[in-house]
Amino acid sequence: MYKIYLKQAWALLKENKLLSGVSIFGTALAICMIMVIVIVWQMRTANYSPEDYRDRMMYVSDTRASYKENESYNDCYLLASRVVKDCFYPLRSAEKVGMAYHGVQRLAAVADHTVEFKCDVTFTDAAFWNIFNFRFLSGKPYGEEEVQSGIMDAVVSESVARRLYGTTEVVGRAVEISYVPYTIRAVVRDVSLLAESAYGDVWLPYTTDNSLFDNSADRLIGGFRCYILARSSADFDAIHSEAGANIARLNESQSTHLLKIGGGPDTHLGDLAREDAFSEPNVRELVMKYLIIVLVLLLIPAINMSGITQSRMRKRMAEIGVRKAFGATRSELLTQVLYENLLQTLLGGVLGLFFSYASVLLLSDWLLDTGTASMGIGRAFVNAEMMFNPVIFLYAFLACLALNLLSAGIPAWRASRMRIIAALNENVH
Protein backbone atom coordinates (compact mmCIF):
# COMPACT_ATOMS: atom_id res chain seq x y z
CA MET A 1 0.00 0.00 0.00
CA TYR A 2 2.72 2.45 0.97
CA LYS A 3 4.65 1.70 -2.23
CA ILE A 4 1.53 2.64 -4.18
CA TYR A 5 1.29 5.94 -2.26
CA LEU A 6 4.92 6.75 -3.10
CA LYS A 7 4.46 5.85 -6.79
CA GLN A 8 1.39 8.05 -6.94
CA ALA A 9 3.29 10.87 -5.21
CA TRP A 10 6.07 10.61 -7.79
CA ALA A 11 3.53 10.72 -10.62
CA LEU A 12 1.94 13.83 -9.09
CA LEU A 13 5.35 15.53 -8.87
CA LYS A 14 5.94 14.92 -12.59
CA GLU A 15 2.39 15.98 -13.48
CA ASN A 16 2.97 19.66 -12.60
CA LYS A 17 6.73 20.16 -12.68
CA LEU A 18 6.64 23.93 -12.09
CA LEU A 19 4.44 23.71 -8.99
CA SER A 20 6.44 20.73 -7.72
CA GLY A 21 9.70 22.60 -8.28
CA VAL A 22 8.43 25.66 -6.39
CA SER A 23 7.25 23.47 -3.51
CA ILE A 24 10.52 21.53 -3.29
CA PHE A 25 12.63 24.69 -3.51
CA GLY A 26 10.50 26.39 -0.85
CA THR A 27 10.92 23.37 1.40
CA ALA A 28 14.67 23.40 0.74
CA LEU A 29 15.01 27.05 1.77
CA ALA A 30 13.02 26.45 4.96
CA ILE A 31 15.08 23.38 5.89
CA CYS A 32 18.27 25.26 4.97
CA MET A 33 17.53 28.13 7.38
CA ILE A 34 16.57 25.76 10.17
CA MET A 35 19.59 23.53 9.66
CA VAL A 36 22.03 26.46 9.58
CA ILE A 37 20.81 27.38 13.06
CA VAL A 38 21.00 23.73 14.19
CA ILE A 39 24.52 23.28 12.76
CA VAL A 40 25.79 26.48 14.39
CA TRP A 41 24.20 25.43 17.69
CA GLN A 42 25.79 22.00 17.45
CA MET A 43 29.20 23.49 16.73
CA ARG A 44 28.92 25.75 19.77
CA THR A 45 27.66 23.02 22.14
CA ALA A 46 28.53 19.51 20.90
CA ASN A 47 31.65 17.51 21.75
CA TYR A 48 34.41 17.53 19.14
CA SER A 49 38.21 17.64 19.23
CA PRO A 50 39.91 19.10 21.12
CA GLU A 51 36.86 19.97 23.26
CA ASP A 52 35.67 16.37 23.47
CA TYR A 53 34.25 16.69 26.99
CA ARG A 54 32.00 19.74 26.81
CA ASP A 55 29.17 17.78 28.39
CA ARG A 56 31.38 17.25 31.47
CA MET A 57 32.99 20.68 31.58
CA MET A 58 32.53 23.58 33.99
CA TYR A 59 34.07 27.03 33.57
CA VAL A 60 35.00 30.03 35.69
CA SER A 61 35.65 33.12 33.63
CA ASP A 62 33.94 36.43 34.44
CA THR A 63 34.71 37.39 38.03
CA ARG A 64 34.73 40.51 40.18
CA ALA A 65 36.55 41.69 43.25
CA SER A 66 34.29 43.80 45.50
CA TYR A 67 35.63 46.16 48.13
CA LYS A 68 34.79 44.88 51.60
CA GLU A 69 33.83 48.34 52.84
CA ASN A 70 31.58 49.10 49.88
CA GLU A 71 30.55 46.19 47.62
CA SER A 72 29.12 48.56 45.01
CA TYR A 73 32.73 49.23 43.91
CA ASN A 74 34.04 46.34 41.81
CA ASP A 75 37.03 45.34 39.73
CA CYS A 76 35.88 42.96 37.01
CA TYR A 77 37.90 40.66 34.77
CA LEU A 78 39.18 37.08 34.92
CA LEU A 79 40.94 35.11 37.68
CA ALA A 80 44.34 35.54 39.26
CA SER A 81 46.41 32.34 39.10
CA ARG A 82 46.58 32.09 42.89
CA VAL A 83 42.74 32.01 43.09
CA VAL A 84 42.67 29.01 40.75
CA LYS A 85 45.32 27.29 42.89
CA ASP A 86 43.61 28.09 46.21
CA CYS A 87 39.94 27.60 45.29
CA PHE A 88 39.74 25.22 42.33
CA TYR A 89 42.84 23.02 42.21
CA PRO A 90 41.81 21.40 45.56
CA LEU A 91 38.34 20.35 44.26
CA ARG A 92 37.94 16.70 45.29
CA SER A 93 34.67 16.29 43.38
CA ALA A 94 36.34 17.13 40.03
CA GLU A 95 38.44 14.83 37.85
CA LYS A 96 40.80 17.53 36.55
CA VAL A 97 41.21 21.29 37.05
CA GLY A 98 43.32 23.48 34.78
CA MET A 99 43.76 27.08 33.74
CA ALA A 100 44.79 29.08 30.69
CA TYR A 101 45.58 32.66 29.77
CA HIS A 102 44.14 33.39 26.31
CA GLY A 103 44.24 36.16 23.76
CA VAL A 104 47.94 37.07 23.82
CA GLN A 105 49.32 38.19 20.45
CA ARG A 106 53.03 37.59 19.95
CA LEU A 107 55.53 37.49 17.10
CA ALA A 108 56.68 33.99 16.09
CA ALA A 109 59.96 33.71 14.20
CA VAL A 110 62.82 31.40 13.32
CA ALA A 111 66.19 32.20 14.90
CA ASP A 112 67.47 34.44 12.06
CA HIS A 113 64.05 36.15 11.62
CA THR A 114 63.89 35.34 7.92
CA VAL A 115 60.38 34.06 8.70
CA GLU A 116 58.20 35.88 11.21
CA PHE A 117 54.47 36.40 11.70
CA LYS A 118 51.93 37.21 14.38
CA CYS A 119 50.35 34.34 16.28
CA ASP A 120 47.86 33.79 19.10
CA VAL A 121 49.60 32.45 22.20
CA THR A 122 47.81 30.62 25.02
CA PHE A 123 49.63 30.18 28.32
CA THR A 124 48.55 27.06 30.21
CA ASP A 125 49.28 24.79 33.14
CA ALA A 126 50.02 21.06 32.76
CA ALA A 127 46.43 19.92 33.51
CA PHE A 128 45.20 21.82 30.44
CA TRP A 129 46.51 18.98 28.23
CA ASN A 130 44.51 16.39 30.18
CA ILE A 131 41.27 18.37 29.99
CA PHE A 132 41.36 19.00 26.24
CA ASN A 133 41.93 16.19 23.77
CA PHE A 134 44.41 17.61 21.25
CA ARG A 135 45.51 15.56 18.24
CA PHE A 136 49.31 15.34 18.50
CA LEU A 137 51.18 14.89 15.23
CA SER A 138 54.52 14.58 17.02
CA GLY A 139 56.02 15.11 20.47
CA LYS A 140 54.14 15.39 23.74
CA PRO A 141 52.95 18.22 26.01
CA TYR A 142 54.81 19.59 29.02
CA GLY A 143 54.06 18.12 32.46
CA GLU A 144 53.61 19.55 35.94
CA GLU A 145 57.29 19.43 36.92
CA GLU A 146 58.27 21.15 33.69
CA VAL A 147 55.69 23.90 34.23
CA GLN A 148 56.94 24.50 37.78
CA SER A 149 60.52 24.71 36.52
CA GLY A 150 59.53 27.32 33.92
CA ILE A 151 60.86 25.23 31.04
CA MET A 152 61.12 27.22 27.80
CA ASP A 153 59.26 24.73 25.62
CA ALA A 154 56.44 25.36 23.16
CA VAL A 155 53.63 23.36 21.60
CA VAL A 156 52.72 24.68 18.14
CA SER A 157 49.92 24.06 15.64
CA GLU A 158 50.69 22.37 12.34
CA SER A 159 50.08 25.66 10.48
CA VAL A 160 52.67 27.44 12.64
CA ALA A 161 55.15 24.60 12.07
CA ARG A 162 54.66 24.79 8.31
CA ARG A 163 54.96 28.59 8.29
CA LEU A 164 58.21 28.40 10.25
CA TYR A 165 59.96 25.44 8.62
CA GLY A 166 57.76 24.18 5.77
CA THR A 167 57.09 20.88 7.56
CA THR A 168 55.46 19.47 10.69
CA GLU A 169 58.64 17.56 11.65
CA VAL A 170 59.92 20.36 13.86
CA VAL A 171 60.21 18.82 17.34
CA GLY A 172 63.49 19.96 18.92
CA ARG A 173 63.85 23.01 16.67
CA ALA A 174 64.02 26.56 17.94
CA VAL A 175 61.30 29.20 17.73
CA GLU A 176 61.33 32.75 19.04
CA ILE A 177 58.15 34.13 20.56
CA SER A 178 58.50 37.92 20.68
CA TYR A 179 62.30 37.52 20.67
CA VAL A 180 62.29 35.03 23.56
CA PRO A 181 63.81 31.66 22.52
CA TYR A 182 61.79 28.46 23.00
CA THR A 183 62.22 24.85 21.90
CA ILE A 184 59.37 23.18 20.04
CA ARG A 185 58.41 20.03 21.95
CA ALA A 186 55.19 19.03 20.14
CA VAL A 187 52.99 19.74 17.10
CA VAL A 188 49.19 19.48 17.21
CA ARG A 189 46.49 19.71 14.58
CA ASP A 190 45.10 23.19 13.99
CA VAL A 191 42.38 24.26 16.42
CA SER A 192 39.33 26.17 15.16
CA LEU A 193 38.29 29.44 16.80
CA LEU A 194 35.01 27.63 17.49
CA ALA A 195 36.87 25.71 20.20
CA GLU A 196 37.35 28.91 22.18
CA SER A 197 38.65 27.29 25.35
CA ALA A 198 41.34 25.23 23.63
CA TYR A 199 42.19 27.63 20.80
CA GLY A 200 45.69 28.89 20.09
CA ASP A 201 48.47 28.92 17.51
CA VAL A 202 51.16 28.39 20.16
CA TRP A 203 50.83 27.06 23.72
CA LEU A 204 53.40 27.88 26.41
CA PRO A 205 53.80 27.11 30.14
CA TYR A 206 52.32 30.06 32.02
CA THR A 207 55.41 30.17 34.25
CA THR A 208 57.56 31.35 31.33
CA ASP A 209 56.07 34.86 31.50
CA ASN A 210 56.12 36.45 34.94
CA SER A 211 53.96 39.37 33.78
CA LEU A 212 50.94 37.08 33.44
CA PHE A 213 50.60 35.77 36.97
CA ASP A 214 50.84 37.23 40.45
CA ASN A 215 50.64 35.16 43.61
CA SER A 216 50.49 38.12 45.98
CA ALA A 217 48.38 37.46 49.07
CA ASP A 218 45.46 39.74 48.20
CA ARG A 219 45.37 39.40 44.39
CA LEU A 220 41.98 38.16 43.05
CA ILE A 221 41.69 39.50 39.49
CA GLY A 222 43.96 38.41 36.68
CA GLY A 223 43.75 37.00 33.17
CA PHE A 224 43.16 33.27 33.69
CA ARG A 225 40.14 31.15 32.85
CA CYS A 226 39.60 28.06 34.97
CA TYR A 227 38.51 24.76 33.39
CA ILE A 228 36.98 22.01 35.50
CA LEU A 229 36.45 18.50 34.11
CA ALA A 230 33.85 16.50 36.04
CA ARG A 231 33.76 12.72 36.12
CA SER A 232 30.14 13.01 34.97
CA SER A 233 27.50 15.73 34.72
CA ALA A 234 25.96 14.30 37.90
CA ASP A 235 28.88 15.83 39.82
CA PHE A 236 28.10 19.42 38.76
CA ASP A 237 26.16 20.25 41.92
CA ALA A 238 28.90 18.83 44.15
CA ILE A 239 31.57 20.81 42.29
CA HIS A 240 29.47 23.95 42.53
CA SER A 241 29.00 23.54 46.29
CA GLU A 242 32.64 22.70 46.98
CA ALA A 243 33.86 25.64 44.89
CA GLY A 244 31.48 27.96 46.77
CA ALA A 245 32.84 26.74 50.12
CA ASN A 246 36.44 27.27 48.98
CA ILE A 247 35.66 30.81 47.81
CA ALA A 248 33.96 31.58 51.13
CA ARG A 249 37.11 30.47 52.98
CA LEU A 250 39.26 32.57 50.66
CA ASN A 251 37.10 35.64 51.29
CA GLU A 252 37.44 35.23 55.05
CA SER A 253 41.20 35.67 54.71
CA GLN A 254 40.97 38.70 52.42
CA SER A 255 41.86 42.09 53.88
CA THR A 256 40.38 44.49 51.32
CA HIS A 257 38.43 42.61 48.59
CA LEU A 258 35.89 39.81 48.23
CA LEU A 259 35.77 37.42 45.27
CA LYS A 260 32.41 37.06 43.46
CA ILE A 261 31.87 34.70 40.51
CA GLY A 262 28.18 35.35 39.75
CA GLY A 263 26.87 31.87 40.42
CA GLY A 264 29.77 30.00 38.78
CA PRO A 265 31.28 27.56 37.98
CA ASP A 266 29.17 27.37 34.83
CA THR A 267 28.28 24.44 32.60
CA HIS A 268 29.12 24.79 28.91
CA LEU A 269 25.70 26.26 28.13
CA GLY A 270 25.99 28.52 31.15
CA ASP A 271 29.35 29.78 29.94
CA LEU A 272 27.85 30.61 26.53
CA ALA A 273 24.94 32.43 28.17
CA ARG A 274 26.99 34.36 30.76
CA GLU A 275 27.04 38.12 30.20
CA ASP A 276 28.89 39.37 33.29
CA ALA A 277 30.05 38.51 36.79
CA PHE A 278 27.11 40.18 38.54
CA SER A 279 24.39 37.61 37.90
CA GLU A 280 23.90 33.97 36.98
CA PRO A 281 23.70 33.14 33.26
CA ASN A 282 20.19 32.72 31.88
CA VAL A 283 20.50 29.41 30.00
CA ARG A 284 16.73 29.08 29.60
CA GLU A 285 16.54 32.41 27.76
CA LEU A 286 19.36 31.41 25.42
CA VAL A 287 17.69 28.11 24.53
CA MET A 288 14.27 29.77 24.11
CA LYS A 289 15.70 32.28 21.63
CA TYR A 290 16.94 29.47 19.42
CA LEU A 291 13.67 27.52 19.74
CA ILE A 292 11.54 30.55 18.84
CA ILE A 293 13.64 31.24 15.75
CA VAL A 294 13.33 27.60 14.64
CA LEU A 295 9.54 27.60 15.21
CA VAL A 296 9.09 30.81 13.20
CA LEU A 297 11.19 29.38 10.38
CA LEU A 298 9.00 26.26 10.44
CA LEU A 299 5.62 27.99 10.62
CA ILE A 300 6.04 30.63 7.90
CA PRO A 301 6.97 28.23 5.06
CA ALA A 302 4.49 25.66 6.40
CA ILE A 303 1.65 28.17 6.00
CA ASN A 304 2.74 28.98 2.44
CA MET A 305 3.11 25.32 1.50
CA SER A 306 -0.22 24.53 3.10
CA GLY A 307 -1.87 26.77 0.50
CA ILE A 308 -0.14 24.87 -2.32
CA THR A 309 -1.22 21.54 -0.81
CA GLN A 310 -4.79 22.83 -0.45
CA SER A 311 -4.94 23.79 -4.15
CA ARG A 312 -3.72 20.32 -5.09
CA MET A 313 -6.33 18.74 -2.85
CA ARG A 314 -9.11 20.65 -4.56
CA LYS A 315 -8.15 19.10 -7.90
CA ARG A 316 -8.27 15.65 -6.34
CA MET A 317 -11.57 15.91 -4.48
CA ALA A 318 -13.37 13.71 -7.00
CA GLU A 319 -10.70 11.02 -6.55
CA ILE A 320 -11.08 11.26 -2.76
CA GLY A 321 -14.87 11.03 -3.09
CA VAL A 322 -14.58 7.87 -5.20
CA ARG A 323 -12.17 6.30 -2.70
CA LYS A 324 -14.52 7.10 0.17
CA ALA A 325 -17.43 5.66 -1.79
CA PHE A 326 -15.48 2.39 -2.12
CA GLY A 327 -14.85 2.23 1.62
CA ALA A 328 -11.62 4.15 2.26
CA THR A 329 -11.47 5.35 5.87
CA ARG A 330 -10.43 8.83 7.06
CA SER A 331 -7.16 7.49 8.46
CA GLU A 332 -6.30 5.82 5.13
CA LEU A 333 -6.95 9.03 3.19
CA LEU A 334 -5.00 11.09 5.73
CA THR A 335 -2.08 8.64 5.58
CA GLN A 336 -2.06 8.71 1.78
CA VAL A 337 -1.86 12.51 1.58
CA LEU A 338 0.83 12.71 4.26
CA TYR A 339 2.92 10.04 2.52
CA GLU A 340 2.59 11.80 -0.82
CA ASN A 341 3.59 15.13 0.71
CA LEU A 342 6.43 13.49 2.67
CA LEU A 343 8.21 12.51 -0.57
CA GLN A 344 8.18 16.14 -1.66
CA THR A 345 9.32 17.28 1.78
CA LEU A 346 12.17 14.76 1.91
CA LEU A 347 13.41 15.83 -1.53
CA GLY A 348 13.34 19.42 -0.34
CA GLY A 349 15.00 18.35 2.91
CA VAL A 350 17.94 16.71 1.15
CA LEU A 351 18.38 19.78 -1.04
CA GLY A 352 18.01 22.05 2.01
CA LEU A 353 20.63 20.09 3.97
CA PHE A 354 23.04 20.54 1.05
CA PHE A 355 22.26 24.28 0.97
CA SER A 356 22.82 24.54 4.73
CA TYR A 357 26.26 22.92 4.55
CA ALA A 358 27.19 25.15 1.62
CA SER A 359 25.99 28.22 3.55
CA VAL A 360 28.00 27.32 6.66
CA LEU A 361 31.15 26.72 4.59
CA LEU A 362 30.82 29.85 2.44
CA LEU A 363 29.65 32.19 5.23
CA SER A 364 31.65 30.68 8.09
CA ASP A 365 33.35 33.96 9.05
CA TRP A 366 29.92 35.52 9.66
CA LEU A 367 27.79 32.59 10.84
CA LEU A 368 30.44 31.10 13.13
CA ASP A 369 31.71 34.32 14.67
CA THR A 370 32.29 33.61 18.37
CA GLY A 371 33.53 37.06 19.33
CA THR A 372 37.02 35.67 19.89
CA ALA A 373 39.46 38.00 18.14
CA SER A 374 42.34 36.40 16.27
CA MET A 375 45.42 38.41 15.37
CA GLY A 376 47.29 35.27 14.39
CA ILE A 377 46.85 32.70 11.66
CA GLY A 378 43.91 30.86 13.26
CA ARG A 379 40.37 31.03 11.94
CA ALA A 380 36.90 29.62 12.59
CA PHE A 381 37.17 26.66 10.25
CA VAL A 382 34.93 23.59 10.20
CA ASN A 383 35.88 20.00 9.47
CA ALA A 384 34.11 16.72 8.78
CA GLU A 385 33.90 15.84 12.49
CA MET A 386 31.96 19.04 13.16
CA MET A 387 29.76 18.98 10.05
CA PHE A 388 28.79 15.34 9.58
CA ASN A 389 27.32 14.63 12.97
CA PRO A 390 24.55 11.96 13.10
CA VAL A 391 22.57 14.28 15.38
CA ILE A 392 22.46 16.91 12.62
CA PHE A 393 20.96 14.39 10.17
CA LEU A 394 18.41 13.39 12.80
CA TYR A 395 17.41 17.02 13.30
CA ALA A 396 17.10 17.46 9.53
CA PHE A 397 14.77 14.44 9.30
CA LEU A 398 12.68 15.68 12.25
CA ALA A 399 12.44 19.12 10.63
CA CYS A 400 11.17 17.47 7.43
CA LEU A 401 8.54 15.51 9.39
CA ALA A 402 7.43 18.61 11.27
CA LEU A 403 7.18 20.65 8.07
CA ASN A 404 5.26 17.82 6.41
CA LEU A 405 2.72 17.62 9.24
CA LEU A 406 2.29 21.39 9.42
CA SER A 407 1.92 21.94 5.68
CA ALA A 408 -0.12 18.86 4.71
CA GLY A 409 -1.82 17.86 7.96
CA ILE A 410 -4.66 20.42 7.98
CA PRO A 411 -5.55 20.15 4.24
CA ALA A 412 -5.44 16.35 4.49
CA TRP A 413 -7.60 16.34 7.63
CA ARG A 414 -10.20 18.61 5.99
CA ALA A 415 -10.27 16.49 2.83
CA SER A 416 -10.69 13.25 4.78
CA ARG A 417 -13.68 14.68 6.66
CA MET A 418 -15.54 15.88 3.55
CA ARG A 419 -18.76 14.06 2.72
CA ILE A 420 -18.73 11.81 -0.37
CA ILE A 421 -21.29 13.88 -2.31
CA ALA A 422 -19.48 17.13 -1.48
CA ALA A 423 -16.14 15.66 -2.55
CA LEU A 424 -17.55 14.36 -5.86
CA ASN A 425 -19.14 17.74 -6.62
CA GLU A 426 -16.07 19.81 -5.56
CA ASN A 427 -14.57 20.00 -9.04
CA VAL A 428 -17.94 21.17 -10.46
CA HIS A 429 -17.69 24.31 -8.35
Side-chain angles (χ1 to χ4, degrees):
M1 181 65 74
Y2 298 128
K3 288 183 179 180
I4 295 175
Y5 292 162
L6 292 176
K7 288 180 179 179
Q8 188 168 356
W10 184 251
L12 289 171
L13 287 177
K14 294 191 293 183
E15 182 180 305
N16 192 332
K17 295 180 180 179
L18 178 61
L19 187 61
S20 298
V22 170
S23 299
I24 292 172
F25 189 72
T27 302
L29 287 181
I31 296 296
C32 173
M33 290 186 289
I34 293 168
M35 292 313 302
V36 164
I37 294 173
V38 170
I39 291 170
V40 171
W41 175 264
Q42 279 290 107
M43 289 182 180
R44 298 296 303 278
T45 60
N47 298 333
Y48 60 83
S49 178
E51 297 185 4
D52 285 323
Y53 310 118
R54 284 176 168 177
D55 56 339
R56 294 196 284 134
M57 288 288 296
M58 298 191 82
Y59 308 79
V60 184
S61 52
D62 293 323
T63 57
R64 60 190 173 102
S66 302
Y67 286 92
K68 272 190 170 183
E69 296 180 356
N70 187 347
E71 292 192 24
S72 62
Y73 291 95
N74 300 278
D75 294 327
C76 300
Y77 195 43
L78 303 177
L79 292 167
S81 60
R82 75 108 176 175
V83 173
V84 179
K85 294 174 183 177
D86 291 348
C87 295
F88 301 107
Y89 274 6
L91 291 174
R92 294 186 299 273
S93 50
E95 181 177 333
K96 297 286 182 182
V97 178
M99 63 179 174
Y101 194 115
H102 298 277
V104 182
Q105 281 77 48
R106 297 286 168 87
L107 185 71
V110 295
D112 59 4
H113 283 260
T114 53
V115 177
E116 59 181 29
F117 52 90
K118 290 182 179 179
C119 64
D120 293 321
V121 177
T122 298
F123 292 86
T124 80
D125 61 2
F128 179 86
W129 301 104
N130 296 319
I131 293 173
F132 298 106
N133 190 21
F134 287 81
R135 303 291 193 260
F136 281 83
L137 301 180
S138 58
K140 62 180 181 180
Y142 39 82
E144 181 61 31
E145 292 183 0
E146 292 162 314
V147 171
Q148 294 306 317
S149 69
I151 192 170
M152 303 299 284
D153 281 358
V155 177
V156 302
S157 69
E158 59 179 317
S159 290
V160 169
R162 292 185 191 281
R163 287 281 293 272
L164 290 171
Y165 291 107
T167 178
T168 58
E169 300 299 323
V170 296
V171 172
R173 292 192 177 186
V175 59
E176 288 190 8
I177 306 297
S178 289
Y179 303 96
V180 178
Y182 289 84
T183 300
I184 299 174
R185 66 177 295 122
V187 180
V188 298
R189 290 206 179 278
D190 291 343
V191 178
S192 172
L193 274 166
L194 292 171
E196 297 175 78
S197 300
Y199 169 73
D201 296 320
V202 177
W203 296 263
L204 304 174
Y206 75 95
T207 49
T208 60
D209 192 330
N210 291 332
S211 66
L212 299 180
F213 68 99
D214 186 348
N215 290 325
S216 60
D218 217 35
R219 179 73 177 270
L220 297 176
I221 300 301
F224 287 90
R225 280 171 58 91
C226 178
Y227 301 107
I228 303 169
L229 179 63
R231 295 179 181 85
S232 76
S233 57
D235 294 330
F236 285 168
D237 288 340
I239 292 171
H240 198 278
S241 298
E242 190 179 354
N246 290 349
I247 291 170
R249 280 193 294 270
L250 175 71
N251 285 335
E252 289 176 1
S253 65
Q254 290 295 113
S255 59
T256 59
H257 293 78
L258 299 174
L259 179 67
K260 310 281 186 177
I261 60 173
D266 302 319
T267 63
H268 187 74
L269 276 180
D271 189 57
L272 291 177
R274 178 171 288 282
E275 297 179 355
D276 53 50
F278 291 89
S279 59
E280 295 188 23
N282 193 336
V283 175
R284 185 173 180 273
E285 181 180 345
L286 176 68
V287 175
M288 286 302 297
K289 285 179 181 177
Y290 274 87
L291 287 177
I292 289 171
I293 292 172
V294 169
L295 285 175
V296 169
L297 292 177
L298 267 177
L299 287 173
I300 292 176
I303 292 171
N304 292 331
M305 291 173 61
S306 180
I308 296 175
T309 305
Q310 182 68 33
S311 67
R312 279 182 168 176
M313 296 301 300
R314 284 183 175 275
K315 295 179 179 179
R316 299 179 60 194
M317 282 304 175
E319 174 197 337
I320 291 173
V322 170
R323 288 206 61 201
K324 291 191 75 172
F326 279 90
T329 64
R330 290 179 181 177
S331 61
E332 288 175 340
L333 293 172
L334 185 63
T335 301
Q336 178 184 350
V337 175
L338 289 176
Y339 259 89
E340 291 172 356
N341 201 69
L342 181 60
L343 176 62
Q344 173 186 298
T345 309
L346 288 177
L347 290 173
V350 172
L351 188 60
L353 191 60
F354 172 78
F355 285 164
S356 65
Y357 281 132
S359 300
V360 170
L361 290 172
L362 295 175
L363 304 174
S364 59
D365 289 340
W366 174 58
L367 290 173
L368 305 178
D369 181 23
T370 63
T372 301
S374 172
M375 297 297 291
I377 61 176
R379 57 190 180 86
F381 64 84
V382 295
N383 55 34
E385 181 184 5
M386 301 176 189
M387 295 282 283
F388 299 104
N389 188 319
V391 176
I392 292 177
F393 292 103
L394 175 63
Y395 284 144
F397 180 69
L398 292 177
C400 287
L401 289 180
L403 195 58
N404 179 56
L405 288 173
L406 289 171
S407 63
I410 294 176
W413 179 77
R414 291 180 62 185
S416 67
R417 289 179 60 85
M418 188 167 287
R419 295 173 60 191
I420 296 175
I421 297 299
L424 291 172
N425 293 331
E426 181 70 20
N427 285 352
V428 177
H429 301 292

